[in-house]
Amino acid sequence: MGHYVEVESGVKVFVEDIGIGQPVVFIHGWPLNNKSFEMQISEVVQAGFRYIGIDLRGYGKSDKPWSGYDYTTQAADVKAVVDHLGLEQIVLAGFSMGGPIAIRYLTKYGTKGVDKLLLMGAAAPLFTQRDDFNIGMQPAEVDDIIAQIQKDRPAFLAQFADMFFEQEKSEEFLKWFQQLGLEAAAHSTIHSAIALRDEDLRDELAGISLPTAIFHGQKDQICPYELGEELERQIPNAYLVPFADSGHGINGDEPDKFNEELVRFLKGATGPKTD
């Protein structure tokens, strides 16, 4: 079933809520929405868990206010959903931009009510390079993306879909993926790109005490694999699952392995499956 939850006065976000059991709160990436996890819903529910898929403000079916696209506000929106639905012992599962939002949630609200953390192709601890951090895009490359969105957003999203996946996809799949991005507002997409460009979570990792799994594609052109290695180094109780044949869209590139590792983690695995 779908819920609308008012996260602040006049701003409602859409939440997909399917199944029963321990809630797994999925936080999608830029510029998508919770539909990007459609290949996970059946697996999660059949394994005895409750799928909670949030469309972040500005995306999917949620309201699209002008402001509030920084990680702190987005994390507050997630907290409002958790509180409204009375969710307990949640698994926080953040993909791409959803990764830093999940980390900021823990920084801001602590681990009360949170059982574990899953970071998937996470844009953390930084999405862009700094003088003392050489992984990821240059800030100027994000500025160029913003300019492309302002000029021709549909064309940019088509190009982005090609960068997103390593494995060949059908034309229909790529059109569907592009449509997910078009469901967002242009201003939301741009304001979130600014957050991705500017925000820094390096000081927020050492305090994460939860069991943490990090899923990352080794051929990721958007959030390089080195980011996953950095997260594993800095989060005390984390393990890294490499996806050798995946780009950024690991759940689309290697869906069987992704779903298997997802369910293993939800059921208590403390390391990747060994062949």
Side-chain angles (χ1 to χ4, degrees):
M1 79 175 75
H3 308 277
Y4 276 96
V5 176
E6 190 167 50
V7 293
E8 67 179 51
S9 181
V11 179
K12 290 191 172 86
V13 300
F14 178 77
V15 185
E16 197 75 78
D17 181 355
I18 301 169
I20 55 173
Q22 183 180 18
V24 187
V25 179
F26 283 87
I27 310 171
H28 63 80
W30 180 93
L32 307 172
N33 56 59
N34 108 87
K35 290 179 191 167
S36 59
F37 298 115
E38 71 168 38
M39 289 188 289
Q40 280 61 64
I41 295 172
S42 296
E43 300 289 332
V44 166
V45 174
Q46 284 171 357
F49 297 86
R50 180 177 170 190
Y51 173 87
I52 303 286
I54 301 173
D55 285 356
L56 296 169
R57 69 164 68 200
Y59 298 89
K61 296 181 184 176
S62 292
D63 287 347
K64 299 169 174 65
W66 177 251
S67 60
Y69 299 98
D70 57 284
Y71 296 158
T72 298
T73 305
Q74 295 277 24
D77 291 352
V78 174
K79 182 71 162 67
V81 169
V82 169
D83 290 348
H84 179 82
L85 297 179
L87 304 178
E88 297 177 345
Q89 295 308 110
I90 65 171
V91 179
L92 264 182
F95 173 78
S96 193
M97 178 180 75
I101 292 168
I103 291 167
R104 181 63 51 81
Y105 181 106
L106 296 172
T107 303
K108 197 160 185 247
Y109 304 108
T111 57
K112 187 173 186 299
V114 187
D115 190 42
K116 49 181 84 164
L117 173 67
L118 173 59
L119 300 171
M120 306 164 282
L126 286 164
F127 183 65
T128 53
Q129 297 185 27
R130 303 289 192 274
D131 290 342
D132 58 348
F133 191 85
N134 63 0
I135 305 168
M137 290 187 188
Q138 297 286 350
E141 291 180 86
V142 180
D143 294 337
D144 181 55
I145 285 169
I146 291 169
Q148 289 179 58
I149 291 167
Q150 288 170 327
K151 182 182 175 191
D152 187 339
R153 189 163 68 113
F156 167 77
L157 288 168
Q159 174 197 339
F160 187 66
D162 281 339
M163 277 180 71
F164 208 86
F165 300 102
E166 178 69 20
Q167 301 303 319
E168 192 149 336
K169 296 288 171 211
S170 69
E171 190 181 333
E172 292 78 9
F173 183 95
L174 293 173
K175 279 184 181 163
W176 168 78
F177 180 86
Q178 182 185 13
Q179 189 57 44
L180 296 186
L182 287 170
E183 289 177 27
H187 63 267
S188 316
T189 307
I190 290 167
H191 289 156
S192 290
I194 291 167
L196 282 161
R197 183 192 67 195
D198 295 349
E199 298 226 30
D200 184 346
L201 295 92
R202 284 179 290 180
D203 294 338
E204 301 177 41
L205 302 179
I208 296 174
S209 56
L210 295 171
T212 301
I214 298 156
F215 293 4
H216 218 106
Q218 291 186 297
K219 296 175 178 172
D220 195 328
Q221 297 178 55
I222 294 165
C223 295
Y225 182 69
E226 290 77 13
L227 287 178
E229 294 177 318
E230 186 72 17
L231 290 169
E232 185 187 34
R233 268 197 298 275
Q234 296 203 36
I235 296 175
N237 196 9
Y239 71 88
L240 174 62
V241 182
F243 287 77
D245 299 320
S246 287
H248 191 50
I250 40 182
N251 60 331
D253 276 338
E254 294 181 76
D256 293 343
K257 176 178 176 175
F258 183 93
N259 287 335
E260 181 182 17
E261 289 285 5
L262 170 62
V263 171
R264 285 183 72 255
F265 176 63
L266 295 179
K267 290 189 169 181
T270 55
K273 183 182 179 188
T274 51
D275 294 327

